Amino acid sequence: MEHIYPIFDQILARSDKETQLKQHAQVVWFTGLSGSGKSTIARSVEGSLHKMGFFTKLLDGDNVRAGLCKDLSFSQADREENIRRIAEVAKLFLDGGIICLCSFVSPTHHIRSLAQEIIGKDNFLEVYVNASLETCEQRDVKGLYKKARAGEIKQFTGIDSPYEVPTSPFCTLDTNSKNLDTCREELLTKLLPLIQFNA
């Protein structure tokens, strides 16, 4: 029987996908306290990249906890498993040539190192979204800090669970004093040279 479509019998490499998409894939990992502005910046950066013609995927607590990790609690062990799963998914997007933006508190050096080990050091761009605890509590969009202070949420990062500041991030965005547009442009300035494709 004659084949209508050409047969392709070799495994496609990441470079094949990147050539077709005309971009270099990276995983951009946003970390910081709840309310620091991680997801807001990530969404804004993704919107800008989309307008420029890049192919992206944003992963955050909302879309991951709704499906992939809905069986996990907020215990220390389950938080680590949550990050492990997210990193594995991000690596799949990376291998498919997609720029993956990940927005998660990921509070400890250990847990971020786990993600970096899975994804690969050369493809893991750690972005520290720096906002003081006071600033985050003032924002408290979801009322989480209020609940944590009242004892309704246990082991909440910044209140009764520590946050370990990254020691050498790819980029630090200070949302205490800088607005969304400034933070987005600061990150894009550093990111674009790494993802732009030169045939």
Side-chain angles (χ1 to χ4, degrees), residues 58-172:
L58 173 62
L59 301 177
D60 63 16
D62 291 338
N63 60 22
V64 170
R65 285 281 183 178
L68 178 68
C69 298
K70 68 180 181 180
D71 60 317
L72 299 178
S73 70
F74 288 90
S75 68
Q76 190 60 41
D78 277 6
R79 285 180 179 181
E80 186 168 321
E81 174 61 12
N82 183 56
I83 294 300
R84 188 196 68 78
R85 292 183 192 181
I86 292 160
E88 292 287 2
V89 170
K91 187 174 187 298
L92 292 175
F93 280 114
L94 180 74
D95 291 342
I98 302 296
I99 298 155
C100 189
L101 310 173
C102 300
S103 174
F104 299 93
V105 174
S106 42
T108 66
H109 299 305
H110 168 72
I111 211 165
R112 294 191 298 270
S113 294
L114 172 65
Q116 183 187 69
E117 183 178 345
I118 291 168
I119 292 163
K121 184 177 181 180
D122 293 340
N123 301 298
F124 183 87
L125 305 178
E126 184 179 59
V127 177
Y128 172 41
V129 183
N130 179 19
S132 67
L133 177 60
E134 181 182 8
T135 297
C136 293
E137 285 201 74
Q138 286 174 351
R139 292 169 181 166
D140 204 12
V141 178
K142 298 180 180 179
L144 298 177
Y145 284 99
K146 185 178 180 180
K147 290 180 179 178
R149 290 291 188 189
E152 297 174 29
I153 300 176
K154 302 295 184 183
Q155 296 298 303
F156 190 77
T157 302
I159 303 299
D160 53 359
S161 185
Y163 179 82
E164 298 174 357
V165 174
T167 54
S168 56
F170 168 71
C171 183
T172 296

Side-chain angles (χ1 to χ4, degrees), residues 21 23-28 45-46 49 54-58 90 93-94 96-101 191 195-196:
L21 296 174
Q23 66 183 35
H24 292 295
Q26 289 287 345
V27 174
V28 185
V45 168
E46 185 183 38
L49 292 177
F54 291 99
F55 292 83
T56 62
K57 179 59 184 176
L58 173 62
F93 280 114
L94 180 74
I98 302 296
I99 298 155
C100 189
L101 310 173
L191 178 61
I195 62 176
Q196 288 172 327

